[in-house]
């Protein structure tokens, strides 16, 4: 579980579901009307809070009636609103969204007449209290200053930046972030045909950052600093229900996974699965609710770094749990050497000095941190790492793939 501060936009969304996209000047009856809270950062934080993180939003709000509704909605999402800046001048940002039930497309008309967070307001936040800062690439007046203090005062904590739309001068800020997430809207607006060519050009601007670019059904491209550009295929989805907030969900999945010390490839894979799950359902509520969620694997109190805990998930998967540097690691209980459980012959011995654990069958040693076999018959192969969520009671849940 991490403390995450998101800096960006909070919006009141009015969503009309229609059975086809209207023609210009057509009068069409909607089958459903929903009033939701939205905005990219607010949505990403909501998903992160469902993934077990403690989230806070830094955003601006108006002083009108709708602002009360907006703040209540954010609180309901279990997002801390301590760092919300109220402006007397301006009105609550609104989006009117047409959701086409035939293909899940969402067409957004956005209204905004509200100042963005001021630099002075942001500068008073104790950002050192957070484990991760995630910025929306907007507020070009103050974003450079905010990123600058974040970069200056934070040594360990990652800074991520979402680049959804082109904005004058934003490219100069890229080196300030550890993780840059580009949308295909930005890519196409900048004249790129796919994420690969976009990232190639971005590698020159931000050689020390992790780069990710999503491109709808074409999948996502990603690269670590100095690394080659790789591609993640998009999951095929039989029935697209609702794409609103899919990108925000992807970003949350990425942050969650990287915070769990997964590598970029694993994180992009997890983020894509989570976004696909979102697209198959309406809204963002109960995104992680599934059959596993009623059945925790274990409680963190049962998991230590001195020995492994082997448990079985609801679908019969045997799972190895162990603590490493304060975080819970979960691996499928299957040795890649002969596809047998690691505890087939005896218990899984842990060596706390070199942080490895040993398969009891043919003495393969695996790093506790990432599951890589560092000695033994399956050298350089890895245990399958599993995604988990820890709730506020310390119960550990397996997330479905
Ligand atoms: C979805 C969303 C909506 C919001 C709009 C803002 O990604 O955040 O919730 O109204 O985009 O641009």
């Amino acid at each position: 579980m991490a403390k995450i501060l998101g800096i960006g936009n909070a919006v009141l969304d009015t969503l009309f579901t229609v059975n086809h996209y209207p023609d210009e000047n057509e009068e069409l009856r909607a089958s459903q009307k929903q009033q939701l809270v939205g905005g990219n950062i607010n949505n990403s934080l909501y998903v992160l809070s469902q993934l077990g993180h403690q989230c806070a939003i830094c955003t601006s709000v108006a002083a009108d009636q709708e602002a009360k509704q907006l703040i209540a909605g954010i609180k309901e999402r279990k997002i801390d609103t301590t760092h919300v800046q109220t402006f007397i001048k301006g009105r609550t940002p609104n989006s009117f969204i047409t959701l086409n039930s035939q293909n899940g497309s969402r067409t957004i008309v956005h209204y905004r007449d509200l100042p963005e967070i001021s630099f002075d307001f942001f500068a008073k936040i104790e950002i050192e209290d957070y484990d991760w800062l995630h910025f929306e690439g907007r507020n070009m007046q103050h974003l450079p200053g905010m990123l600058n203090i974040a970069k200056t005062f934070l040594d360990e904590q990652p800074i991520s930046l979402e680049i959804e739309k082109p904005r004058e001068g934003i490219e100069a800020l890229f080196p300030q972030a550890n993780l840059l997430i580009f949308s295909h809207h930005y890519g196409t607006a900048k004249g790129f045909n796919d994420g690969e060519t976009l990232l190639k050009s971005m590698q020159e601007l931000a050689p020390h950052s992790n780069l990710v670019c999503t491109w709808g059904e074409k999948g996502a491209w990603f690269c670590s600093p100095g690394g080659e550009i790789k591609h993640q295929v998009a999951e095929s989805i039989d029935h697209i229900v609702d794409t609103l907030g899919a990108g925000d969900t992807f970003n949350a999945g990425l942050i969650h996974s990287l915070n769990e010390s997964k590598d970029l490839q694993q994180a992009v894979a997890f983020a894509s699965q989570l976004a696909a799950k979102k697209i198959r359902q309406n809204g963002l509520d109960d995104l992680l609710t599934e059959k596993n969620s009623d059945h925790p694997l274990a409680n963190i109190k049962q998991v230590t770094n001195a020995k492994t805990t082997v448990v079985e998930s609801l679908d019969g998967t045997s799972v190895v749990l162990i603590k490493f540097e304060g975080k819970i690691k979960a691996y499928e209980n299957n040795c890649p050497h002969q596809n047998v459980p690691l505890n087939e012959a005896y218990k899984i011995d842990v060596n706390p000095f070199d942080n490895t654990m040993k398969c009891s069958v043919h003495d393969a040693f695996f790093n506790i941190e990432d599951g890589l076999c560092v000695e033994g018959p399956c050298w350089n192969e890895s245990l399958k790492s599993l995604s988990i969520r820890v709730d506020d009671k310390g119960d550990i849940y397996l997330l479905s793939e």
Side-chain angles (χ1 to χ4, degrees):
M1 196 266 297
K3 279 188 81 178
I4 300 171
L5 179 66
I7 304 100
N9 216 1
V11 182
L12 211 53
D13 289 347
T14 304
L15 194 67
F16 288 115
T17 306
V18 293
N19 63 9
H20 68 266
Y21 190 73
D23 287 333
E24 182 147 10
N25 214 23
E26 181 181 341
E27 190 183 321
L28 178 64
R29 190 168 279 211
S31 61
Q32 201 189 2
K33 176 188 170 186
Q34 288 164 280
Q35 193 111 71
L36 304 165
V37 295
N40 295 9
I41 279 292
N42 184 17
N43 290 338
S44 294
L45 292 175
Y46 182 33
V47 176
L48 282 162
S49 84
Q50 293 182 53
L51 285 161
H53 301 284
Q54 216 175 309
C55 298
I57 192 165
C58 174
T59 192
S60 58
V61 294
D64 53 16
Q65 273 305 317
E66 284 189 331
K68 289 189 186 141
Q69 201 181 328
L70 183 58
I71 293 169
I74 299 173
K75 284 188 175 149
E76 220 170 279
R77 289 177 156 195
K78 297 210 174 92
I79 299 168
D80 177 358
T81 55
T82 311
H83 308 304
V84 164
Q85 185 179 16
T86 306
F87 287 91
I88 305 294
K89 198 172 154 280
R91 290 162 64 185
T92 293
N94 269 268
S95 286
F96 285 92
I97 302 163
T98 310
L99 178 67
N100 182 350
S101 62
Q102 268 177 42
N103 58 14
S105 85
R106 90 292 180 265
T107 306
I108 304 176
V109 177
H110 187 60
Y111 173 78
R112 188 176 173 89
D113 165 30
L114 184 72
E116 302 268 359
I117 281 289
S118 69
F119 174 78
D120 291 349
F121 184 84
F122 177 80
K124 290 196 187 99
I125 302 174
E126 300 276 341
I127 51 174
E128 297 86 345
D129 287 351
Y130 292 92
D131 303 309
W132 192 298
L133 259 61
H134 178 52
F135 288 87
E136 223 177 283
R138 52 182 305 119
N139 189 5
M140 289 311 293
Q141 194 187 350
H142 299 306
L143 185 62
M146 295 195 291
L147 281 170
N148 206 16
I149 39 177
K151 187 85 179 159
T152 310
F153 289 105
L154 304 179
D155 293 330
E156 303 282 327
Q157 299 92 324
I159 299 167
S160 49
L161 176 64
E162 178 200 40
I163 303 104
E164 193 186 37
K165 295 181 191 135
R167 302 206 193 250
E168 180 97 36
I170 197 160
E171 286 77 14
L173 306 178
F174 291 174
Q176 304 280 63
N178 307 87
L179 169 67
L180 294 164
I181 316 168
F182 299 94
S183 77
H184 78 278
H185 294 290
Y186 174 83
T188 39
K190 286 281 176 184
F192 295 101
N193 292 325
D194 56 45
E196 187 170 7
T197 44
L198 168 80
L199 291 194
K200 247 187 213 135
S201 146
M202 296 304 140
Q203 273 180 320
E204 287 166 27
L205 295 178
H208 305 297
S209 313
N210 284 307
L211 309 176
V212 179
C213 175
T214 56
W215 211 283
E217 52 197 38
K218 279 197 188 170
W221 282 267
F222 57 96
C223 61
S224 310
E228 64 175 297
I229 299 171
K230 294 186 183 158
H231 180 240
Q232 164 74 45
V233 289
E235 238 177 80
S236 79
I237 300 172
D238 292 342
H239 180 52
I240 297 181
V241 176
D242 170 15
T243 55
L244 184 70
D248 310 331
T249 303
F250 180 95
N251 297 351
L254 204 55
I255 293 170
H256 168 74
S257 227
L258 290 173
N259 178 68
E260 301 270 288
S261 311
K262 299 279 158 62
D263 65 29
L264 192 60
Q265 181 148 13
Q266 291 171 317
V268 171
F270 176 72
S272 306
Q273 285 162 14
L274 201 62
K277 194 159 193 298
K278 192 267 132 329
I279 289 171
R280 291 192 189 97
Q281 73 163 48
N282 242 305
L284 293 172
D285 291 346
D286 302 323
L287 194 57
L288 302 160
T289 306
E290 51 210 307
K291 57 181 169 67
N292 284 329
S293 69
D294 298 332
H295 297 268
L297 289 172
N299 187 276
I300 44 168
K301 288 191 198 123
Q302 296 162 260
V303 183
T304 72
N305 39 14
K307 65 176 182 59
T308 57
T309 306
V310 179
V311 289
E312 196 162 294
S313 76
L314 203 63
D315 65 4
T317 310
S318 181
V319 182
V320 179
L321 297 170
I322 186 158
K323 214 182 221 176
F324 179 75
E325 291 184 346
K327 287 186 181 152
I328 308 283
K329 300 278 170 188
Y331 297 104
E332 195 175 312
N333 184 16
N334 182 57
C335 180
H337 171 217
Q338 288 189 335
N339 286 320
V340 290
L342 299 160
N343 57 346
E344 176 91 333
Y346 183 59
K347 67 184 169 65
I348 307 165
D349 278 329
V350 171
N351 183 341
F353 299 103
D354 62 8
N355 292 315
T356 56
M357 51 189 175
K358 188 178 80 169
C359 173
S360 63
V361 185
H362 292 110
D363 292 3
F365 289 79
F366 298 92
N367 277 338
I368 295 172
E369 182 176 12
D370 57 11
L372 180 72
C373 178
V374 287
E375 196 188 318
C378 45
W379 179 80
N380 223 16
E381 289 186 64
S382 288
L383 296 176
K384 185 175 178 208
S385 156
L386 301 171
S387 292
I388 51 162
R389 171 175 77 90
V390 181
D391 73 9
D392 43 9
K393 294 196 286 299
D395 286 335
I396 305 164
Y397 295 93
L398 191 61
L399 298 179
S400 68
E401 310 234 333

